[in-house]
Amino acid sequence: MRVSSIVVGAVVLLAASGDVVPGGAPPQRPVIDAAAGRCGAGWTAGRAGRRTLLVGNSGAAVAEVTLVDAATGAVHAEIEGLAPGTVRPVRVRLGAGAYRFRCAVEDAVDPVAGPVVRVVGPGRGGPAVVPVGESDLYGPARSYRAYVTGGLGRLASRTERLRDAVHRRDRAAARAAWTPAHLAYARLGAAYGAFGDLADAVDGLPAGLPGGAGDPGFTGFHRLERGLWRGEPMAGLAPVADRLARDVRALRAAFRDERVDPADLPLRAHEILEDTLRVELTGAADQGSGTALRTVAAHLEGTREVVGVLRPVLRPRFPALAEVDAWMDRLDALLRGRSSLGALAREERGRLNGTVGRLVELLASVATIAQPRRTR
């Protein structure tokens, strides 16, 4: 079961946590039902302040449950994937007002709204987010598609220059052409989900392949990088460069018929730097060029683009957006003029990891806040 939490600055906005209570062990407090036909049953009144509500699913299908402001639809808490026969505690802070539960059962077209419940008394309510509909993300998705289309054009032309240098057997020129071509690909991080198998063909790593770096399935930029910086004969690298250029052309052609899923964009904003922390900043991706930090900078550019197209959606919902911008600027400053991860002192490396880690934490909230939700 995935429990969503949104961090606004240092405040947890949506929280649903705790252990699942088996259906045969009745909890001490009344249970609010999440089954479609009984959504919200069991919650009849409330007092303002911090509360732990028990939500159980008496139905036969998995449910997604949200607690919303009855007037605005703003989400105060949610549970994803509440299995039949289980109970989950939801910890919230509610102010005086009207609330209701909304229950979406698997395969149902529309969620079911429960009865309105009045919460009374003194006490400050917690933050909430007005839900995002998929239609809110169509404009950002169109803008991002245009960005990727332009980026694929630059990638194709730079890859052709790289291929030509390899065919001339000019190692210095090929090394010089490899980096801008690879960075053109790295800037497209949020589109990787639309690239399918070609993503691994173009930018895959040898880890996990049966033959490691010698496996025939190891192709693309990193295979060529390994050969160029480890002294492999240039004649033997020509087929590698040809394959890369072919795969990039195929990627560009295939993308013309691909759709950037609007629902993917908020998640990709988080995933780009999450992968950066796991792969580039551990040194796992470097096959000899010493350009890991330039790749991180390209991933940051890609992240900025995703946050930029999502800004109209995020601005009224995410108070920490300015903090995200500040941390991206901080990361940019740490990376400026840097290339090799190995050239960093321990303190510099720790500062870099900490900065990316903080951004990943903040961007996880973007993924949750801008996740499209069914509201009616």
Side-chain angles (χ1 to χ4, degrees), residues 17 47 89 116 123 130 135 145 150 229 237 267 278 294 297 315 317 342 349:
S17 60
R47 298 289 299 175
V116 174
V130 175
S135 61
R145 180 181 175 79
W229 271 270
L237 292 177
L267 183 61
R278 179 177 54 86
R294 297 188 67 181
R315 192 177 289 116
R317 295 174 170 89
R349 195 158 176 170

Side-chain angles (χ1 to χ4, degrees), residues 59-145:
V62 174
E64 296 181 3
V65 191
T66 54
L67 174 61
V68 303
D69 184 294
T72 67
V75 179
H76 286 261
E78 65 181 1
I79 304 174
E80 294 186 1
L82 184 63
T86 59
V87 176
R88 196 78 174 178
V90 180
R91 297 183 178 92
V92 291
R93 191 175 73 233
L94 301 176
Y99 302 88
R100 72 194 323 164
F101 276 91
R102 187 176 285 135
C103 310
V105 177
E106 274 187 334
D107 299 327
V109 176
D110 297 315
V112 175
V116 174
V117 170
R118 297 283 173 183
V119 170
V120 298
R124 185 169 56 91
V129 170
V130 175
V132 172
E134 191 160 318
S135 61
D136 295 317
L137 298 174
Y138 288 158
R142 282 194 298 270
S143 297
Y144 191 73
R145 180 181 175 79

Side-chain angles (χ1 to χ4, degrees), residues 155-174:
L155 171 64
S157 62
R158 292 176 185 183
T159 304
E160 290 295 334
R161 287 197 289 272
L162 169 60
R163 185 190 67 83
D164 290 346
V166 172
H167 274 270
R168 293 196 310 271
R169 303 189 182 183
D170 187 338
R171 189 179 301 272

Side-chain angles (χ1 to χ4, degrees), residues 32-51:
I32 302 161
D33 209 327
R38 291 179 48 78
C39 182
W43 192 35
T44 56
R47 298 289 299 175
R50 295 184 183 276
R51 292 288 176 268

Side-chain angles (χ1 to χ4, degrees), residues 140 143-148 187 190 265 272 299-311 328:
S143 297
Y144 191 73
R145 180 181 175 79
Y147 166 80
V148 173
R187 293 184 182 98
L265 273 182
I272 297 172
H299 288 173
L300 176 61
E301 286 186 51
T303 301
R304 282 191 190 275
E305 181 65 26
V306 178
V307 173
V309 299
L310 288 173
R311 197 169 293 273
M328 288 196 293

Side-chain angles (χ1 to χ4, degrees), residues 2 7 42 46 54 94 98 111 116 120 150 152 238 251 263 307 313 342 369:
R2 191 170 80 83
V7 179
L54 294 178
L94 301 176
V116 174
V120 298
L152 285 171
L251 183 64
V307 173
V313 173
I369 289 170

